[in-house]
Amino acid sequence: MKNERIILGIDPGTTIMGFGLIKVVNKKMEFLQLNELLLQKYTDPYIKLKIIFERTVELIDTFHPDEIAIEAPFFGKNVQSMLKLGRAQGVAMAAGLSREVPITEYLPKKIKMAITGNGNASKEQVAKMLQSLLGLKELPKNLDSTDGLAAAVCHFYNSGKVEIGKSYTGWDSFVKQNPKKLGR
């Protein structure tokens, strides 16, 4: 494993996409950035997906992350919301795969557990713990960006462990690991 690497964490969404970046030097984390992509003003769902793709590529081209950690969709009762969230996640993953950045998915409970020790922690609890861990001066109004940052920190904590979730290093890897999803 490299002595220095950058991890991009993404909390996908079609209303707000949150993201956070950390730099890992040896075995220490450094906060780089957290932000969000606001998509409420766009009514066309396909335009939203295009913007998610373009912004993710822009982040990759700007910060050159070595890895991407992305929050996996959770299974809720609203099928339409899950479908929208899954599309947003897929588009962000496709952006990473297009730049050949390895991607790992984490369930929301796993991310919360890694950050707070409680898989049922609230967004506020996760944000406060990140503030303490990374020395953030203030927290954003929307906590989608801290959720993205939490995915990156979760990945850092899980690096080197045998089972860290679904991981893809490129299109070939994705296709081999998902033959049923692709009708093969």
Side-chain angles (χ1 to χ4, degrees), residues 43-97:
T43 55
D44 185 331
Y46 301 108
I47 295 295
K48 289 181 178 189
L49 295 175
K50 178 180 183 279
I51 292 168
I52 290 168
F53 182 89
E54 290 171 348
R55 180 64 175 130
T56 305
V57 166
E58 182 184 327
L59 286 165
I60 293 166
D61 290 349
T62 301
F63 291 97
H64 308 288
D66 299 285
E67 299 159 282
I68 294 174
I70 191 164
E71 186 174 305
F74 57 91
F75 300 101
K77 291 180 182 169
N78 187 329
V79 176
Q80 286 302 314
S81 293
M82 275 181 41
L83 181 60
K84 289 176 186 175
L85 193 59
R87 287 178 176 169
Q89 183 205 27
V91 167
M93 290 172 73
L97 293 170

Side-chain angles (χ1 to χ4, degrees), residues 21-22 28-29 37 59 66 77 99 113 128 144 151 179:
L21 288 132
I22 60 170
K28 291 188 79 171
M29 281 187 293
L37 176 60
L59 286 165
D66 299 285
K77 291 180 182 169
R99 294 296 196 256
M113 179 64 94
K128 284 286 189 192
D144 300 87

Side-chain angles (χ1 to χ4, degrees), residues 100-142:
E100 298 185 5
V101 180
I103 299 166
T104 304
E105 294 178 76
Y106 292 97
L107 293 172
K109 278 188 178 282
K110 181 154 182 133
I111 293 171
K112 291 173 182 181
M113 179 64 94
I115 305 304
T116 67
N118 174 3
N120 295 314
S122 68
K123 282 178 168 281
E124 292 78 15
Q125 289 170 316
V126 170
K128 284 286 189 192
M129 185 59 85
L130 288 170
Q131 186 175 29
S132 173
L133 285 169
L134 297 168
L136 305 176
K137 290 186 181 13
E138 59 184 69
L139 292 173
K141 183 177 72 161
N142 297 319

